PDB file of all heavy atoms in Angstrom:
ATOM      1  N   ARG A1303     -27.564  14.998  61.511  1.00 90.00           N
ATOM      2  CA  ARG A1303     -26.873  13.776  61.067  1.00 90.00           C
ATOM      3  C   ARG A1303     -25.748  14.124  60.072  1.00 90.00           C
ATOM      4  O   ARG A1303     -24.663  13.506  60.105  1.00 90.00           O
ATOM      5  CB  ARG A1303     -27.881  12.833  60.400  1.00 90.00           C
ATOM      6  CG  ARG A1303     -28.747  12.129  61.434  1.00 90.00           C
ATOM      7  CD  ARG A1303     -29.656  11.096  60.795  1.00 90.00           C
ATOM      8  NE  ARG A1303     -30.796  11.740  60.081  1.00 90.00           N
ATOM      9  CZ  ARG A1303     -31.000  11.660  58.767  1.00 90.00           C
ATOM     10  NH1 ARG A1303     -30.135  10.988  58.006  1.00 90.00           N
ATOM     11  NH2 ARG A1303     -32.022  12.256  58.227  1.00 90.00           N
ATOM     12  N   ALA A1304     -25.970  15.077  59.185  1.00 88.00           N
ATOM     13  CA  ALA A1304     -24.950  15.464  58.222  1.00 88.00           C
ATOM     14  C   ALA A1304     -23.713  16.014  58.919  1.00 88.00           C
ATOM     15  O   ALA A1304     -22.574  15.695  58.575  1.00 88.00           O
ATOM     16  CB  ALA A1304     -25.509  16.501  57.228  1.00 88.00           C
ATOM     17  N   VAL A1305     -23.935  16.845  59.946  1.00 86.00           N
ATOM     18  CA  VAL A1305     -22.826  17.438  60.668  1.00 86.00           C
ATOM     19  C   VAL A1305     -22.132  16.379  61.535  1.00 86.00           C
ATOM     20  O   VAL A1305     -20.879  16.335  61.569  1.00 86.00           O
ATOM     21  CB  VAL A1305     -23.314  18.600  61.552  1.00 86.00           C
ATOM     22  CG1 VAL A1305     -22.187  19.116  62.424  1.00 86.00           C
ATOM     23  CG2 VAL A1305     -23.857  19.750  60.681  1.00 86.00           C
ATOM     24  N   ALA A1306     -22.908  15.533  62.185  1.00 84.00           N
ATOM     25  CA  ALA A1306     -22.330  14.541  63.107  1.00 84.00           C
ATOM     26  C   ALA A1306     -21.553  13.426  62.387  1.00 84.00           C
ATOM     27  O   ALA A1306     -20.613  12.885  62.923  1.00 84.00           O
ATOM     28  CB  ALA A1306     -23.448  13.915  63.954  1.00 84.00           C
ATOM     29  N   LEU A1307     -21.962  13.134  61.148  1.00 76.00           N
ATOM     30  CA  LEU A1307     -21.380  12.014  60.457  1.00 76.00           C
ATOM     31  C   LEU A1307     -20.175  12.405  59.596  1.00 76.00           C
ATOM     32  O   LEU A1307     -19.519  11.513  59.010  1.00 76.00           O
ATOM     33  CB  LEU A1307     -22.428  11.333  59.528  1.00 76.00           C
ATOM     34  CG  LEU A1307     -23.570  10.605  60.278  1.00 76.00           C
ATOM     35  CD1 LEU A1307     -24.623  10.132  59.253  1.00 76.00           C
ATOM     36  CD2 LEU A1307     -23.040   9.451  61.066  1.00 76.00           C
ATOM     37  N   VAL A1308     -19.862  13.674  59.505  1.00 72.00           N
ATOM     38  CA  VAL A1308     -18.710  14.104  58.727  1.00 72.00           C
ATOM     39  C   VAL A1308     -17.430  13.623  59.385  1.00 72.00           C
ATOM     40  O   VAL A1308     -17.188  13.870  60.564  1.00 72.00           O
ATOM     41  CB  VAL A1308     -18.659  15.639  58.537  1.00 72.00           C
ATOM     42  CG1 VAL A1308     -17.365  16.080  57.936  1.00 72.00           C
ATOM     43  CG2 VAL A1308     -19.822  16.065  57.647  1.00 72.00           C
ATOM     44  N   GLU A1309     -16.586  12.935  58.629  1.00 63.00           N
ATOM     45  CA  GLU A1309     -15.313  12.480  59.131  1.00 63.00           C
ATOM     46  C   GLU A1309     -14.325  13.663  59.154  1.00 63.00           C
ATOM     47  O   GLU A1309     -14.276  14.434  58.210  1.00 63.00           O
ATOM     48  CB  GLU A1309     -14.752  11.364  58.250  1.00 63.00           C
ATOM     49  CG  GLU A1309     -15.649  10.136  58.211  1.00 63.00           C
ATOM     50  CD  GLU A1309     -15.114   9.076  57.247  1.00 63.00           C
ATOM     51  OE1 GLU A1309     -14.036   9.328  56.674  1.00 63.00           O
ATOM     52  OE2 GLU A1309     -15.786   8.044  57.099  1.00 63.00           O
ATOM     53  N   PRO A1310     -13.582  13.779  60.218  1.00 51.00           N
ATOM     54  CA  PRO A1310     -12.605  14.893  60.299  1.00 51.00           C
ATOM     55  C   PRO A1310     -11.632  14.843  59.130  1.00 51.00           C
ATOM     56  O   PRO A1310     -11.137  13.814  58.751  1.00 51.00           O
ATOM     57  CB  PRO A1310     -11.873  14.680  61.631  1.00 51.00           C
ATOM     58  CG  PRO A1310     -12.801  13.794  62.407  1.00 51.00           C
ATOM     59  CD  PRO A1310     -13.560  12.962  61.424  1.00 51.00           C
ATOM     60  N   ALA A1311     -11.410  16.032  58.488  1.00 54.00           N
ATOM     61  CA  ALA A1311     -10.461  16.110  57.378  1.00 54.00           C
ATOM     62  C   ALA A1311      -9.588  17.343  57.540  1.00 54.00           C
ATOM     63  O   ALA A1311     -10.108  18.413  57.894  1.00 54.00           O
ATOM     64  CB  ALA A1311     -11.218  16.193  56.044  1.00 54.00           C
ATOM     65  N   PRO A1312      -8.316  17.205  57.375  1.00 58.00           N
ATOM     66  CA  PRO A1312      -7.380  18.334  57.556  1.00 58.00           C
ATOM     67  C   PRO A1312      -7.785  19.495  56.608  1.00 58.00           C
ATOM     68  O   PRO A1312      -8.004  19.312  55.425  1.00 58.00           O
ATOM     69  CB  PRO A1312      -6.027  17.770  57.165  1.00 58.00           C
ATOM     70  CG  PRO A1312      -6.160  16.296  57.371  1.00 58.00           C
ATOM     71  CD  PRO A1312      -7.596  15.976  57.022  1.00 58.00           C
ATOM     72  N   GLY A1313      -7.919  20.646  57.191  1.00 59.00           N
ATOM     73  CA  GLY A1313      -8.191  21.858  56.395  1.00 59.00           C
ATOM     74  C   GLY A1313      -9.647  22.081  56.077  1.00 59.00           C
ATOM     75  O   GLY A1313      -9.993  23.106  55.516  1.00 59.00           O
ATOM     76  N   ALA A1314     -10.522  21.129  56.421  1.00 60.00           N
ATOM     77  CA  ALA A1314     -11.956  21.305  56.132  1.00 60.00           C
ATOM     78  C   ALA A1314     -12.655  21.969  57.285  1.00 60.00           C
ATOM     79  O   ALA A1314     -12.429  21.601  58.467  1.00 60.00           O
ATOM     80  CB  ALA A1314     -12.556  19.949  55.836  1.00 60.00           C
ATOM     81  N   SER A1315     -13.524  22.919  57.000  1.00 67.00           N
ATOM     82  CA  SER A1315     -14.274  23.596  58.050  1.00 67.00           C
ATOM     83  C   SER A1315     -15.551  22.856  58.375  1.00 67.00           C
ATOM     84  O   SER A1315     -16.131  22.213  57.471  1.00 67.00           O
ATOM     85  CB  SER A1315     -14.637  25.036  57.596  1.00 67.00           C
ATOM     86  OG  SER A1315     -13.496  25.798  57.285  1.00 67.00           O
ATOM     87  N   PRO A1316     -15.987  22.874  59.593  1.00 75.00           N
ATOM     88  CA  PRO A1316     -17.236  22.187  59.935  1.00 75.00           C
ATOM     89  C   PRO A1316     -18.419  22.879  59.274  1.00 75.00           C
ATOM     90  O   PRO A1316     -18.407  24.082  59.002  1.00 75.00           O
ATOM     91  CB  PRO A1316     -17.309  22.278  61.463  1.00 75.00           C
ATOM     92  CG  PRO A1316     -16.497  23.489  61.783  1.00 75.00           C
ATOM     93  CD  PRO A1316     -15.389  23.536  60.765  1.00 75.00           C
ATOM     94  N   TRP A1317     -19.478  22.110  58.987  1.00 85.00           N
ATOM     95  CA  TRP A1317     -20.666  22.709  58.400  1.00 85.00           C
ATOM     96  C   TRP A1317     -21.343  23.640  59.374  1.00 85.00           C
ATOM     97  O   TRP A1317     -21.503  23.295  60.555  1.00 85.00           O
ATOM     98  CB  TRP A1317     -21.641  21.620  57.949  1.00 85.00           C
ATOM     99  CG  TRP A1317     -21.125  20.723  56.907  1.00 85.00           C
ATOM    100  CD1 TRP A1317     -20.979  19.357  56.963  1.00 85.00           C
ATOM    101  CD2 TRP A1317     -20.721  21.115  55.578  1.00 85.00           C
ATOM    102  NE1 TRP A1317     -20.478  18.902  55.791  1.00 85.00           N
ATOM    103  CE2 TRP A1317     -20.339  19.931  54.910  1.00 85.00           C
ATOM    104  CE3 TRP A1317     -20.635  22.318  54.919  1.00 85.00           C
ATOM    105  CZ2 TRP A1317     -19.855  19.947  53.603  1.00 85.00           C
ATOM    106  CZ3 TRP A1317     -20.178  22.320  53.615  1.00 85.00           C
ATOM    107  CH2 TRP A1317     -19.787  21.150  52.966  1.00 85.00           C
ATOM    108  N   VAL A1318     -21.752  24.819  58.917  1.00 88.00           N
ATOM    109  CA  VAL A1318     -22.490  25.777  59.753  1.00 88.00           C
ATOM    110  C   VAL A1318     -23.789  26.102  59.050  1.00 88.00           C
ATOM    111  O   VAL A1318     -23.803  26.566  57.893  1.00 88.00           O
ATOM    112  CB  VAL A1318     -21.664  27.060  59.964  1.00 88.00           C
ATOM    113  CG1 VAL A1318     -22.480  28.089  60.776  1.00 88.00           C
ATOM    114  CG2 VAL A1318     -20.365  26.739  60.677  1.00 88.00           C
ATOM    115  N   LEU A1319     -24.905  25.825  59.724  1.00 93.00           N
ATOM    116  CA  LEU A1319     -26.214  26.108  59.133  1.00 93.00           C
ATOM    117  C   LEU A1319     -26.541  27.594  59.215  1.00 93.00           C
ATOM    118  O   LEU A1319     -26.478  28.182  60.286  1.00 93.00           O
ATOM    119  CB  LEU A1319     -27.272  25.293  59.882  1.00 93.00           C
ATOM    120  CG  LEU A1319     -28.701  25.359  59.265  1.00 93.00           C
ATOM    121  CD1 LEU A1319     -28.753  24.684  57.903  1.00 93.00           C
ATOM    122  CD2 LEU A1319     -29.696  24.722  60.213  1.00 93.00           C
ATOM    123  N   PHE A1320     -26.842  28.217  58.090  1.00 96.00           N
ATOM    124  CA  PHE A1320     -27.217  29.607  58.044  1.00 96.00           C
ATOM    125  C   PHE A1320     -28.674  29.726  57.574  1.00 96.00           C
ATOM    126  O   PHE A1320     -29.260  28.754  57.082  1.00 96.00           O
ATOM    127  CB  PHE A1320     -26.264  30.428  57.161  1.00 96.00           C
ATOM    128  CG  PHE A1320     -25.887  29.762  55.838  1.00 96.00           C
ATOM    129  CD1 PHE A1320     -26.746  29.805  54.742  1.00 96.00           C
ATOM    130  CD2 PHE A1320     -24.707  29.054  55.760  1.00 96.00           C
ATOM    131  CE1 PHE A1320     -26.425  29.201  53.533  1.00 96.00           C
ATOM    132  CE2 PHE A1320     -24.352  28.440  54.554  1.00 96.00           C
ATOM    133  CZ  PHE A1320     -25.235  28.536  53.457  1.00 96.00           C
ATOM    134  N   PRO A1321     -29.316  30.904  57.697  1.00 97.00           N
ATOM    135  CA  PRO A1321     -30.766  30.987  57.425  1.00 97.00           C
ATOM    136  C   PRO A1321     -31.189  30.510  56.054  1.00 97.00           C
ATOM    137  O   PRO A1321     -32.227  29.806  55.950  1.00 97.00           O
ATOM    138  CB  PRO A1321     -31.022  32.495  57.615  1.00 97.00           C
ATOM    139  CG  PRO A1321     -30.003  32.941  58.604  1.00 97.00           C
ATOM    140  CD  PRO A1321     -28.776  32.116  58.320  1.00 97.00           C
ATOM    141  N   ALA A1322     -30.476  30.861  55.027  1.00 97.00           N
ATOM    142  CA  ALA A1322     -30.879  30.442  53.666  1.00 97.00           C
ATOM    143  C   ALA A1322     -30.865  28.933  53.512  1.00 97.00           C
ATOM    144  O   ALA A1322     -31.724  28.338  52.878  1.00 97.00           O
ATOM    145  CB  ALA A1322     -29.985  31.100  52.627  1.00 97.00           C
ATOM    146  N   ALA A1323     -29.861  28.271  54.109  1.00 97.00           N
ATOM    147  CA  ALA A1323     -29.768  26.821  54.053  1.00 97.00           C
ATOM    148  C   ALA A1323     -30.872  26.180  54.840  1.00 97.00           C
ATOM    149  O   ALA A1323     -31.511  25.199  54.421  1.00 97.00           O
ATOM    150  CB  ALA A1323     -28.393  26.358  54.577  1.00 97.00           C
ATOM    151  N   GLU A1324     -31.178  26.711  56.045  1.00 97.00           N
ATOM    152  CA  GLU A1324     -32.285  26.164  56.869  1.00 97.00           C
ATOM    153  C   GLU A1324     -33.586  26.275  56.123  1.00 97.00           C
ATOM    154  O   GLU A1324     -34.404  25.331  56.107  1.00 97.00           O
ATOM    155  CB  GLU A1324     -32.345  26.889  58.205  1.00 97.00           C
ATOM    156  CG  GLU A1324     -33.480  26.362  59.078  1.00 97.00           C
ATOM    157  CD  GLU A1324     -33.544  27.051  60.423  1.00 97.00           C
ATOM    158  OE1 GLU A1324     -32.581  27.808  60.776  1.00 97.00           O
ATOM    159  OE2 GLU A1324     -34.541  26.870  61.142  1.00 97.00           O
ATOM    160  N   GLN A1325     -33.850  27.436  55.517  1.00 97.00           N
ATOM    161  CA  GLN A1325     -35.100  27.652  54.804  1.00 97.00           C
ATOM    162  C   GLN A1325     -35.227  26.673  53.615  1.00 97.00           C
ATOM    163  O   GLN A1325     -36.270  26.090  53.382  1.00 97.00           O
ATOM    164  CB  GLN A1325     -35.197  29.072  54.289  1.00 97.00           C
ATOM    165  CG  GLN A1325     -36.477  29.408  53.563  1.00 97.00           C
ATOM    166  CD  GLN A1325     -37.716  29.208  54.422  1.00 97.00           C
ATOM    167  OE1 GLN A1325     -37.739  29.665  55.558  1.00 97.00           O
ATOM    168  NE2 GLN A1325     -38.713  28.496  53.903  1.00 97.00           N
ATOM    169  N   ALA A1326     -34.129  26.485  52.859  1.00 97.00           N
ATOM    170  CA  ALA A1326     -34.160  25.574  51.738  1.00 97.00           C
ATOM    171  C   ALA A1326     -34.443  24.157  52.164  1.00 97.00           C
ATOM    172  O   ALA A1326     -35.257  23.430  51.540  1.00 97.00           O
ATOM    173  CB  ALA A1326     -32.824  25.663  50.991  1.00 97.00           C
ATOM    174  N   LEU A1327     -33.811  23.718  53.260  1.00 97.00           N
ATOM    175  CA  LEU A1327     -34.008  22.321  53.732  1.00 97.00           C
ATOM    176  C   LEU A1327     -35.413  22.138  54.305  1.00 97.00           C
ATOM    177  O   LEU A1327     -36.025  21.093  54.112  1.00 97.00           O
ATOM    178  CB  LEU A1327     -32.929  21.958  54.747  1.00 97.00           C
ATOM    179  CG  LEU A1327     -31.550  21.761  54.122  1.00 97.00           C
ATOM    180  CD1 LEU A1327     -30.469  21.729  55.174  1.00 97.00           C
ATOM    181  CD2 LEU A1327     -31.534  20.440  53.296  1.00 97.00           C
ATOM    182  N   ARG A1328     -35.900  23.123  55.025  1.00 97.00           N
ATOM    183  CA  ARG A1328     -37.261  23.003  55.548  1.00 97.00           C
ATOM    184  C   ARG A1328     -38.302  22.967  54.437  1.00 97.00           C
ATOM    185  O   ARG A1328     -39.365  22.341  54.574  1.00 97.00           O
ATOM    186  CB  ARG A1328     -37.551  24.179  56.516  1.00 97.00           C
ATOM    187  CG  ARG A1328     -36.765  24.053  57.793  1.00 97.00           C
ATOM    188  CD  ARG A1328     -36.944  25.258  58.707  1.00 97.00           C
ATOM    189  NE  ARG A1328     -38.349  25.473  59.102  1.00 97.00           N
ATOM    190  CZ  ARG A1328     -38.707  26.309  60.059  1.00 97.00           C
ATOM    191  NH1 ARG A1328     -37.797  27.035  60.709  1.00 97.00           N
ATOM    192  NH2 ARG A1328     -39.988  26.448  60.375  1.00 97.00           N
ATOM    193  N   THR A1329     -37.968  23.595  53.311  1.00 97.00           N
ATOM    194  CA  THR A1329     -38.913  23.595  52.177  1.00 97.00           C
ATOM    195  C   THR A1329     -38.789  22.370  51.317  1.00 97.00           C
ATOM    196  O   THR A1329     -39.833  21.814  50.868  1.00 97.00           O
ATOM    197  CB  THR A1329     -38.672  24.874  51.308  1.00 97.00           C
ATOM    198  OG1 THR A1329     -38.825  26.028  52.106  1.00 97.00           O
ATOM    199  CG2 THR A1329     -39.673  24.923  50.143  1.00 97.00           C
TER     200      THR A1329
END
Side-chain angles (χ1 to χ4, degrees):
R1303 284 184 286 117
V1305 173
L1307 292 174
V1308 169
E1309 299 176 2
S1315 301
W1317 295 121
V1318 177
L1319 186 67
F1320 43 81
E1324 179 179 349
Q1325 182 60 48
L1327 287 166
R1328 289 175 62 168
T1329 302

